[in-house]
Amino acid sequence: MLEVKTLDKPDERRDFPRGHLEAVHMTELDFAVATFEPGWRWTESVAPIAGTATCQMHHYCCMVQGRLHILMDDGGETEVGPGDVFVVSPGHDAWVVGDEQVVVYDFEGQTAKEYAKQEYAKQE
């Protein structure tokens, strides 16, 4: 099998306050590119769509641009920046640090299929 798509032409785009997600769906990979503007915070921008207090998705990510602060429900926290590869389990909040736009690649297929999608509210 050989399958190629370009991020310049995503299969779908989901807009939410201060950001958006573009998804590419392939035979064995659902890939997401999330873009967050300065001032974006999950609990303010996506929680109303998801219907949960914190993000309940698992993420496998590579940070491309900007800085993101992540706060876990258990109190653990970190900040990630360009070139960082990170895994975040369900139960977290996150927000943009500083004035630079954040671009993050997410390889966890659930994100590409469900993140900030109205019909998946309460499942996220």
Side-chain angles (χ1 to χ4, degrees):
M1 176 182 68
L2 178 61
E3 187 175 3
V4 178
K5 289 191 175 184
T6 177
L7 296 178
D8 294 335
K9 295 179 183 175
D11 294 315
E12 65 176 308
R13 176 181 165 130
R14 286 177 231 130
D15 293 298
F16 41 84
R18 295 190 174 128
H20 65 273
L21 180 131
E22 295 174 320
V24 174
H25 305 293
M26 301 173 77
T27 304
E28 295 183 18
L29 174 68
D30 291 286
F31 178 79
V33 178
T35 302
F36 307 128
E37 301 298 331
W40 177 89
R41 184 171 183 152
W42 190 92
T43 50
E44 297 168 4
S45 297
V46 184
I49 299 167
T52 57
T54 56
C55 182
Q56 297 303 307
M57 289 199 151
H58 206 118
H59 302 284
Y60 302 114
C61 298
C62 178
M63 182 65 82
V64 178
Q65 175 183 311
R67 298 201 68 75
L68 196 65
H69 191 95
I70 302 166
L71 175 63
M72 303 300 295
D73 288 354
D74 68 6
E77 59 187 307
T78 193
E79 191 171 298
V80 293
D84 289 341
V85 175
F86 58 100
V87 176
V88 182
S89 59
H92 59 274
D93 190 11
W95 57 89
V96 172
V97 175
D99 295 328
E100 185 178 6
Q101 181 184 66
V102 164
V103 177
V104 62
Y105 291 167
D106 194 322
F107 294 86
E108 208 298 318
Q110 181 187 14
T111 301
K113 291 186 266 187
E114 301 176 11
Y115 189 86
K117 207 169 192 177
Q118 278 302 108
E119 60 262 34
Y120 290 104
K122 303 272 189 218
Q123 293 179 28
E124 185 174 313

